[in-house]
DNA sequence: TGTATGATTGTATCATTGTACCAATTGTAT
DNA sequence: ATACAATTGGTACAATGATACAATCATACA
């Protein structure tokens, strides 16, 4: 469960946690039956209060993505049928793009700049068939 | 945080607070990561309304000097010199786009689909001038 | 087995943080 | 005096944190 929080984005921490876990489930990083970190351990990991994690877990529980059980822990639920996940995939993809735009605009990028960069990397992707790292790695 | 306000100077309180804090940061009295007083405690200290302090903090936040986080507090930010941040911005942006592509491809998106979605949302952005949610999102 | 006890889980509630919105006040120009 | 804009204050709200609690599990021991 390795992801970073952005305390400056204005997006509530519990929302960030919800989105991260949703993405991990859709990507298959988390499979049905897998146990999530306890509210306390994940909170310690992310340097936030465990109530904030508990809130995220509650939302995920209400969304039918996980199952939280007092005294036992929280677990990934089985995935909905393909047509549902496909719809979910589209929504998730759109939401991902939206999130990406927010992140980029926070870095001061203009729409054209984002499109240009994406176009470049997509071209590279189509040519080489692989998603290499563009000669640098992740910063904040 | 010991400074006096001049209620007769004609200079708005929130401006005085902004200038004082900027000065303290430049002098090194406040270092990156330091937590500022809460809006309410500083307001009590200075005998003004906490909204006035909140206004000062908001301006400092927009200026990139501090980071205000609802429910957590406000903290001094570290800001590298302009040329560094500009270089960093480009690298961050490229790496952000790359990460985005990775995420999207894990969701099974083809290059064209990603570009198309981004184009849509960028168009919407340019038309409305705001990055509101594309009325989708959140679970099944 | 059965039960007692402590550790570990999530839950409930309230305090503390900053935010949003609008009303009241103040200063200033007409 | 009046009107207007800027500043400040009041109130309600949202996000996060602190604390106490309840449910479950692990362990020891009779």
């Amino acid at each position: 469960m390795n992801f970073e929080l952005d305390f400056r984005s204005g997006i509530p921490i519990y929302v960030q946690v919800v989105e991260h876990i949703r993405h991990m489930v859709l990507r298959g990083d988390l499979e049905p039956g897998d146990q999530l970190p306890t509210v306390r351990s994940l909170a310690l990991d992310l340097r936030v209060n465990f109530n904030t994690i508990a809130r995220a877990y509650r939302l995920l529980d209400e969304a039918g993505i996980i199952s939280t059980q007092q005294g036992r822990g929280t677990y990934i639920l089985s995935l909905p049928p393909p047509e549902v996940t496909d719809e979910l995939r589209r929504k998730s993809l759109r939401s991902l793009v939206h999130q990406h735009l927010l992140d980029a605009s926070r870095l001061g990028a203009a729409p054209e700049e984002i499109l240009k960069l994406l176009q470049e990397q997509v071209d590279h992707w189509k040519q080489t068939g692989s998603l290499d790292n563009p000669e640098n790695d992740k910063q904040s």
Side-chain angles (χ1 to χ4, degrees), chain A:
Chain A
M1 189 68 57
N2 53 344
F3 59 84
E4 302 276 332
L5 293 178
D6 187 344
F7 292 102
R8 299 184 51 202
S9 64
I11 301 172
I13 294 172
Y14 72 92
V15 172
Q16 294 185 43
V17 172
V18 165
E19 291 306 315
H20 271 289
I21 292 179
R22 285 187 52 210
H23 285 150
M24 292 180 77
V25 168
L26 284 172
R27 284 168 37 182
D29 294 339
L30 292 171
E31 297 185 358
D34 282 355
Q35 179 169 17
L36 291 169
T38 68
V39 290
R40 284 173 177 81
S41 67
L42 183 54
L44 196 63
D45 196 16
L46 299 176
R47 313 298 182 92
V48 297
N49 189 274
F50 68 84
N51 282 293
T52 304
I53 305 299
R55 183 171 180 179
Y57 280 9
R58 182 166 51 80
L59 291 183
L60 287 164
D61 185 288
E62 288 167 356
I65 295 178
I66 67 177
S67 162
T68 71
Q69 301 161 26
Q70 182 169 352
R72 292 181 48 78
T74 73
Y75 300 86
I76 303 291
L77 281 180
S78 52
L79 291 175
E83 63 274 10
V84 177
T85 51
D86 195 58
E87 172 61 18
L88 237 163
R89 189 191 73 90
R90 275 195 301 276
K91 284 187 179 178
S92 183
L93 193 53
R94 197 171 298 131
S95 155
L96 180 66
V97 169
H98 180 245
Q99 184 60 48
H100 170 60
L101 264 183
L102 281 178
D103 289 345
S105 76
R106 198 164 45 75
L107 280 176
E112 291 77 10
E113 187 177 10
I114 303 172
L115 272 173
K116 179 170 141 289
L117 277 172
L118 187 67
Q119 184 69 61
E120 282 174 8
Q121 298 198 19
V122 160
D123 289 344
H124 180 262
W125 180 12
K126 286 201 271 194
Q127 283 177 19
T128 67
S130 73
L131 281 167
D132 309 336
N133 210 324
E135 102 275 359
N136 61 56
D137 53 5
K138 195 145 190 224
Q139 303 282 4
S140 120

